[in-house]
Amino acid sequence: MEENNLLHFLDSPNAHYRRKCEEYVSRHDLDDHSDAPDIDPANSRERLEHLLKQPANKFCADCGTPDPKWAALPFGALICIKCSGTHRSLGVHISKVISVNLDEWTDEEVNCLACSGGNANVNTRYEAFLPENYIKPRQDCTTEERSNFIKKKYEHQQFVTDPQFSCPLRLNNKHTADKQHHQQNSSVRHGFAHPFRNSWRRKDSDTKGLKKMTDVGMVEFVGLIKVDIRRGTNLAVRDVMSSDPYVMLNLGHQSMKTKVIKNTLNPVWNERLMLSIPHPVPPLKLQVFDKDTFTSDDRMGDVEVDIQPLISAARENENSAVTAGSVEITKLLASDDGTLAKDSVIAVVDGKVKQEITLRLQNVEHGELEIELECVPLSQ
């Protein structure tokens, strides 16, 4: 019997990519390649471009917007920028979103997209039992309609199996059922089995959790921000002689983190992370931690960045004719008691609006963080 689709997401996205890649390689090793197009299998970009030319992949898998430039892995669906914002809100443990043009694709990711069979196969699978009277969202739909559909389609997978014969995943999980049974018996033994008190508490808790998830899914996005975490300088010691630092990014309800650099107070990450910009625009929060194995990670400082000036500059530049060279738009001045360790310049560099920032970490003895921001408006 085929494994329940929801079980895939109990693993990390990378584990799911590996399974997809193995399926892809095994399938194509057995195929006759005599009629295959003349495409260099080692060139990920050419293979990706070939996949984008498939008829079904020329439209967003979720709302039908033409020319989708984003992919939702590990589903292998090509989607538009508006749907990509909702996919990001599901979390990377469910849907990892990457850009066709802005990200460098690995062979593993291209294999995953190829193995999915494109949007036609994705929709055949994840919309197999879409009710006849159900209206899919269109490109001009509301944020709420888009969010509700994507959650049902991918997170809850309500359209994968016939509702007559489907059953919740938790009923198939014997360990979960035994654990719930044990907790119920334990509550009775300790005298906490009052039926009305427990029922309203549980209902109130579930309602708050559901409301929070719904609010996250229905956030409107105004664009994307690429954050290049370059390096840290003179960070604080949190181990005996040094630290194992990494950076955590937060923007609204989104969180991402860099790799850990071992045993250094001057780490060089050179790592790019990308987040959707919600509306209203919150500050970009950066936290530096020291990775510990057996205890909780130690804080090494934090700082907030107001990204509104960068967004405003990107909007003003949308209709600009400047496509080459570098043009300074504005300069933010550093101060002895502020978060800017050096003057920060917002400039148009080869048509892209960027800001280089050297940040002075707060709530710590010392330490600086060097980053570069790039804003991509939703219209682009």
Side-chain angles (χ1 to χ4, degrees):
M1 182 180 293
E2 184 180 357
E3 183 183 11
N4 190 306
N5 292 321
L6 287 176
L7 294 178
H8 289 315
F9 304 122
L10 299 180
D11 294 332
S12 65
N14 288 334
H16 190 64
Y17 297 157
R18 285 194 294 272
R19 284 196 298 272
K20 287 291 186 182
C21 294
E22 290 168 1
E23 293 172 12
Y24 178 83
V25 173
S26 300
R27 187 180 70 204
H28 285 262
D29 282 345
L30 298 175
D31 287 345
D32 180 9
H33 295 284
S34 58
D35 297 328
D38 185 18
I39 296 178
D40 179 9
N43 190 325
S44 298
R45 174 51 57 176
E46 289 186 4
R47 292 176 56 215
L48 178 60
E49 293 296 336
H50 175 68
L51 293 170
L52 294 175
K53 292 178 181 178
Q54 295 180 7
N57 292 343
K58 294 181 179 180
F59 300 89
C60 174
D62 297 333
C63 72
T65 298
D67 196 25
K69 293 300 183 184
W70 300 85
L73 300 178
F75 304 104
L78 286 160
I79 55 177
C80 67
I81 191 170
K82 290 185 178 180
C83 289
S84 74
T86 301
H87 275 266
R88 277 195 179 88
S89 70
L90 300 179
V92 294
H93 62 292
I94 294 179
S95 183
K96 177 182 178 181
V97 180
I98 58 178
S99 168
V100 170
N101 296 327
L102 301 177
D103 288 313
E104 292 293 331
W105 284 61
T106 64
D107 287 336
E108 190 177 42
E109 290 165 343
V110 176
N111 288 347
C112 179
L113 187 63
C115 188
S116 73
N119 284 354
N121 284 2
V122 170
N123 285 348
T124 297
R125 182 178 186 182
Y126 291 97
E127 298 179 11
F129 293 92
L130 194 70
E132 292 183 4
N133 59 345
Y134 194 97
I135 301 176
K136 282 186 62 174
R138 300 177 182 177
Q139 55 183 305
D140 58 349
C141 69
T142 66
T143 304
E144 182 178 1
E145 291 171 337
R146 192 186 307 272
S147 172
N148 288 340
F149 175 73
I150 290 174
K151 278 177 171 288
K152 290 178 179 178
K153 180 178 177 179
Y154 297 103
E155 183 177 11
H156 305 304
Q157 298 193 11
Q158 290 185 7
F159 314 127
V160 171
T161 55
D162 192 327
Q164 276 188 293
F165 305 104
S166 63
C167 57
L169 176 63
R170 59 185 177 86
L171 297 182
N172 294 331
N173 191 329
K174 185 177 184 300
H175 173 73
T176 303
D178 291 344
K179 183 177 179 181
Q180 290 176 345
H181 179 71
H182 173 75
Q183 289 175 342
Q184 290 173 357
N185 289 341
S186 176
S187 296
V188 172
R189 287 197 304 270
H190 289 84
F192 297 123
H194 193 289
F196 298 103
R197 179 175 58 189
N198 281 347
S199 63
W200 73 257
R201 282 185 178 175
R202 182 167 56 252
K203 182 177 180 181
D204 183 61
S205 175
D206 292 345
T207 302
K208 289 180 179 178
L210 181 61
K211 184 178 185 302
K212 182 176 180 181
M213 290 178 63
T214 304
D215 290 343
V216 173
M218 292 191 295
V219 170
E220 289 191 35
F221 297 98
V222 298
L224 301 166
I225 187 164
K226 292 190 284 185
V227 185
D228 284 340
I229 309 293
R230 291 181 174 175
R231 61 178 59 87
T233 304
N234 192 28
L235 299 182
V237 175
R238 287 295 180 264
D239 293 332
V240 178
M241 297 292 292
S242 187
S243 297
D244 302 325
Y246 68 90
V247 180
M248 175 72 73
L249 289 183
N250 294 95
L251 187 63
H253 294 285
Q254 304 165 88
S255 297
M256 298 187 76
K257 66 178 182 179
T258 67
K259 59 190 175 185
V260 177
I261 307 296
K262 294 286 188 178
N263 196 31
T264 180
L265 300 178
N266 298 282
V268 177
W269 287 284
N270 284 331
E271 190 168 346
R272 172 175 291 183
L273 304 175
M274 186 152 41
L275 300 164
S276 297
I277 304 173
H279 178 77
V281 180
L284 175 67
K285 299 179 181 179
L286 300 97
Q287 297 173 290
V288 183
F289 291 93
D290 167 49
K291 181 66 177 178
D292 287 329
T293 304
F294 302 108
T295 60
S296 59
D297 296 345
D298 299 318
R299 292 180 176 274
M300 300 176 65
D302 56 77
V303 66
E304 291 189 0
V305 180
D306 180 11
I307 61 174
Q308 191 63 62
L310 180 68
I311 296 172
S312 299
R315 286 173 175 167
E316 293 176 3
N317 184 64
E318 286 186 76
N319 300 322
S320 173
V322 178
T323 58
S326 178
V327 178
E328 181 178 319
I329 297 177
T330 186
K331 178 184 288 187
L332 305 178
L333 301 179
S335 61
D336 294 336
D337 57 350
T339 58
L340 289 180
K342 298 179 181 178
D343 293 348
S344 176
V345 174
I346 299 177
V348 180
V349 182
D350 296 331
K352 301 176 181 179
V353 180
K354 298 184 177 184
Q355 180 180 7
E356 293 190 359
I357 313 177
T358 301
L359 296 162
R360 185 180 294 112
L361 293 174
Q362 307 295 300
N363 304 312
V364 70
E365 305 93 297
H366 48 74
E368 294 180 358
L369 199 60
E370 184 179 328
I371 66 173
E372 181 184 73
L373 306 179
E374 179 185 339
C375 181
V376 183
L378 192 63
S379 60
Q380 297 181 15

